[in-house]
Amino acid sequence: KMAKSIDDINVLLVDDVSQARRFVEVILSGMGVNQVFTANDGRSALDFLGVEIDMVDLIICDWQMPRMSGLELLKQVRVIAPDMPFMMVTGRSDIKSVTEARDLGVNAYIAKPFSPQDSEKKMKTLLRYM
């Protein structure tokens, strides 16, 4: 798979808080990302991926959500798409959580609150996986 440029990337953004989704969407569009799909929890994200996984190049996912946590989603995604770049957004930076996410194959990790610059840097790092 050839490396894609930012404007070719389709992002699936998973967060139960609409303001948080909005914030990340604004950052993404500022970076030139044209297509952002959103899901308000892990289960909806999984349903979407079940149908449209070929449309998604990158998942940005909140850690704590109702119905299905980001970690749970990551586990499921690794079964259906082992190489899917996955970025976890979290308020938790305790070592245990970070290690757990890493063991499950998370590609990047960003702690809240973060600035547009932080997330842009992380995204650019992630693009190297693609």
Side-chain angles (χ1 to χ4, degrees), residues 37 47-56:
F37 304 107
D47 291 345
F48 178 80
L49 289 168
V51 184
E52 299 289 1
I53 194 152
D54 295 340
M55 292 288 295
V56 177

Side-chain angles (χ1 to χ4, degrees), residues 23-42:
F23 177 66
V24 178
E25 279 186 274
V26 168
I27 293 171
L28 290 170
S29 74
M31 288 174 64
V33 174
N34 292 321
Q35 182 66 68
V36 181
F37 304 107
T38 57
N40 53 10
D41 64 45

Side-chain angles (χ1 to χ4, degrees), residues 13-126:
L13 174 59
V14 191
D15 199 314
D16 56 312
V17 181
S18 60
Q19 299 92 310
R21 287 198 305 270
R22 207 51 227 120
F23 177 66
V24 178
E25 279 186 274
V26 168
I27 293 171
L28 290 170
S29 74
M31 288 174 64
V33 174
N34 292 321
Q35 182 66 68
V36 181
F37 304 107
T38 57
N40 53 10
D41 64 45
R43 191 143 301 149
S44 320
L46 212 52
D47 291 345
F48 178 80
L49 289 168
V51 184
E52 299 289 1
I53 194 152
D54 295 340
M55 292 288 295
V56 177
D57 299 304
L58 164 68
I59 297 171
I60 298 177
C61 181
D62 189 38
W63 186 297
Q64 279 162 310
M65 296 179 291
R67 297 204 321 148
M68 184 187 275
S69 71
L71 210 57
E72 214 26 71
L73 177 62
L74 175 60
K75 272 185 198 157
Q76 304 283 341
V77 167
R78 283 294 164 254
V79 173
I80 56 174
D83 301 326
M84 175 73 70
F86 197 107
M87 177 159 137
M88 191 80 79
V89 179
T90 180
R92 308 162 62 159
S93 51
D94 58 289
I95 293 301
K96 188 179 171 300
S97 305
V98 176
T99 312
E100 199 176 356
R102 204 153 279 155
D103 291 347
L104 288 171
V106 78
N107 300 105
Y109 201 94
I110 192 164
K112 291 184 216 174
F114 55 85
S115 70
Q117 292 75 12
D118 292 338
S119 64
E120 193 161 339
K121 216 163 69 198
K122 293 269 179 170
M123 289 273 302
K124 292 199 163 130
T125 308
L126 265 183

